[in-house]
Short mmCIF file of all heavy atoms in Angstrom, two decimals:
data_model
loop_
_atom_site.label_atom_id
_atom_site.label_comp_id
_atom_site.label_asym_id
_atom_site.label_seq_id
_atom_site.Cartn_x
_atom_site.Cartn_y
_atom_site.Cartn_z
N CYS A 381 36.07 64.69 79.92
CA CYS A 381 36.76 64.13 78.76
C CYS A 381 35.73 63.47 77.84
O CYS A 381 34.93 62.66 78.31
CB CYS A 381 37.79 63.11 79.23
SG CYS A 381 38.51 62.18 77.89
N PRO A 382 35.73 63.83 76.54
CA PRO A 382 34.76 63.24 75.62
C PRO A 382 35.02 61.74 75.42
O PRO A 382 34.13 61.00 74.99
CB PRO A 382 34.97 64.02 74.32
CG PRO A 382 36.34 64.58 74.43
CD PRO A 382 36.62 64.79 75.89
N SER A 383 36.23 61.30 75.72
CA SER A 383 36.57 59.91 75.48
C SER A 383 36.21 59.01 76.66
O SER A 383 35.51 58.01 76.50
CB SER A 383 38.06 59.82 75.13
OG SER A 383 38.47 58.49 75.13
N CYS A 384 36.68 59.38 77.88
CA CYS A 384 36.45 58.49 79.02
C CYS A 384 35.49 59.06 80.05
O CYS A 384 35.10 58.37 80.99
CB CYS A 384 37.77 58.13 79.68
SG CYS A 384 38.47 59.47 80.64
N GLY A 385 35.12 60.35 79.91
CA GLY A 385 34.16 60.95 80.83
C GLY A 385 34.75 61.42 82.15
O GLY A 385 34.02 61.90 83.01
N ALA A 386 36.08 61.32 82.30
CA ALA A 386 36.71 61.78 83.54
C ALA A 386 36.62 63.29 83.63
O ALA A 386 36.61 63.98 82.61
CB ALA A 386 38.16 61.34 83.58
N VAL A 388 37.86 66.94 83.95
CA VAL A 388 39.10 67.51 83.43
C VAL A 388 39.24 68.92 83.99
O VAL A 388 38.27 69.67 84.02
CB VAL A 388 39.02 67.56 81.89
CG1 VAL A 388 40.22 68.29 81.33
CG2 VAL A 388 38.92 66.16 81.31
N CYS A 395 43.68 64.68 78.69
CA CYS A 395 42.96 64.04 79.79
C CYS A 395 43.98 63.35 80.70
O CYS A 395 44.85 62.63 80.22
CB CYS A 395 41.98 63.02 79.25
SG CYS A 395 41.22 62.02 80.54
N ALA A 396 43.86 63.61 82.01
CA ALA A 396 44.80 63.01 82.95
C ALA A 396 44.53 61.51 83.12
O ALA A 396 45.39 60.77 83.61
CB ALA A 396 44.73 63.73 84.29
N GLU A 397 43.33 61.06 82.74
CA GLU A 397 42.97 59.65 82.90
C GLU A 397 43.38 58.80 81.70
O GLU A 397 43.96 57.73 81.85
CB GLU A 397 41.45 59.52 83.12
CG GLU A 397 41.00 60.01 84.49
CD GLU A 397 41.65 59.24 85.63
OE1 GLU A 397 41.80 58.00 85.53
OE2 GLU A 397 42.05 59.88 86.62
N CYS A 398 42.98 59.27 80.48
CA CYS A 398 43.19 58.41 79.32
C CYS A 398 44.14 59.02 78.28
O CYS A 398 44.46 58.38 77.28
CB CYS A 398 41.86 58.07 78.66
SG CYS A 398 41.13 59.47 77.79
N GLY A 399 44.58 60.26 78.50
CA GLY A 399 45.55 60.85 77.58
C GLY A 399 44.93 61.45 76.33
O GLY A 399 45.66 61.92 75.45
N GLU A 400 43.59 61.47 76.26
CA GLU A 400 42.91 62.08 75.11
C GLU A 400 43.35 63.54 74.96
O GLU A 400 43.41 64.28 75.92
CB GLU A 400 41.38 62.00 75.34
CG GLU A 400 40.54 62.75 74.34
CD GLU A 400 40.20 61.92 73.11
OE1 GLU A 400 40.68 60.76 73.02
OE2 GLU A 400 39.47 62.41 72.25
N PHE A 402 42.72 67.35 73.79
CA PHE A 402 41.51 68.18 73.60
C PHE A 402 41.71 69.21 72.51
O PHE A 402 42.77 69.78 72.38
CB PHE A 402 41.15 68.88 74.91
CG PHE A 402 40.94 67.91 76.04
CD1 PHE A 402 41.53 68.11 77.27
CD2 PHE A 402 40.17 66.77 75.85
CE1 PHE A 402 41.35 67.22 78.32
CE2 PHE A 402 39.99 65.87 76.89
CZ PHE A 402 40.57 66.09 78.11
ZN1 LIG B 639 39.85 60.72 79.16
#
Side-chain angles (χ1 to χ4, degrees):
C381 171
S383 169
C384 74
V388 174
C395 172
E397 288 300 319
C398 72
E400 173 87 357
F402 303 132

